[in-house]
Amino acid sequence: MTAWTTIDSPLGELLLVGEETPDGATTLTSLSMPGQRDAPAPRAGRRRDPSRLADVGRQLTAYFAGELTRFDIEFTPTGTDFQRRVWHALEEIPYGTSTTYGALAERLGLPRERIQALGAAIGANPLLLVRPCHRVIGADGSMRGYAGGVERKVRLLTHEGALQPTLL
């Protein structure tokens, strides 16, 4: 059974989708934002059930309130072996910090010619925000692509203290 719900956030309405496990728990399958490229949409066969994803919603609310720096959420296993390896590395990037694509590739033991594949795996992350792909930036400090939009990436890094707010 696939359940979904939405929650309001400073980034807009977030869509949470989860799968029921044999023991009756629900694991998070995807977290997406309005306007996100390749974002899933609620469809037939999926049931709106906020109670199934209430804990995820509580953790996201605490994160945006500045009360939570690490999520404790069970994810539905997806992706290729390579993607799962990259995604696990994303989960190890501490709150309030960022890393570069090159540094992440080095940590994973990938040669430079695999950085494009690394970027593709990061871009395929179905769990924006909770699997912090927003913490990966360009070697020159530039904000490279983010499925939720570069503006949201900047907002998340600023929220976490990895970027200083800009004055207008």
Side-chain angles (χ1 to χ4, degrees):
M1 165 69 78
T2 302
W4 66 274
T5 192
T6 57
I7 65 163
D8 290 325
S9 83
L11 302 175
E13 187 176 68
L14 303 179
L15 173 64
L16 310 176
V17 179
E19 290 290 329
E20 189 172 345
T21 63
D23 64 0
T26 301
T27 58
L28 187 64
T29 303
S30 73
L31 186 157
S32 56
M33 303 174 188
Q36 173 184 330
R37 68 179 150 79
D38 300 324
R43 57 182 185 246
R46 294 184 171 176
R47 179 180 80 207
R48 184 178 185 109
D49 189 348
S51 66
R52 287 250 166 234
L53 296 157
D55 183 57
V56 175
R58 280 189 291 277
Q59 289 187 51
L60 288 165
T61 298
Y63 167 84
F64 285 115
E67 301 164 356
L68 184 73
T69 61
R70 188 162 182 93
F71 295 100
D72 183 18
I73 297 171
E74 291 294 321
F75 304 139
T76 307
T78 61
T80 66
D81 288 342
F82 179 74
Q83 287 172 328
R84 286 192 302 272
R85 189 169 156 230
V86 170
W87 297 342
H88 178 73
L90 293 176
E91 294 166 11
E92 299 303 315
I93 303 168
Y95 179 95
T97 68
S98 62
T99 192
T100 65
Y101 291 91
L104 191 59
E106 186 176 312
R107 193 167 123 215
L108 290 167
L110 300 175
R112 292 211 45 85
E113 60 268 12
R114 296 282 293 161
I115 289 180
Q116 190 171 8
L118 173 80
I122 292 169
N125 173 18
L127 300 167
L128 295 189
L129 182 62
V130 297
R131 184 182 286 141
C133 53
H134 61 276
R135 296 180 187 154
V136 183
I137 62 174
D140 61 358
S142 61
M143 298 297 116
R144 306 279 176 190
Y146 181 61
V150 171
E151 179 183 305
R152 287 188 179 121
K153 182 174 191 163
V154 169
R155 289 181 67 189
L156 288 168
L157 290 171
T158 302
H159 168 75
E160 294 181 359
L163 285 179
Q164 294 299 310
T166 57
L167 300 175
L168 298 177

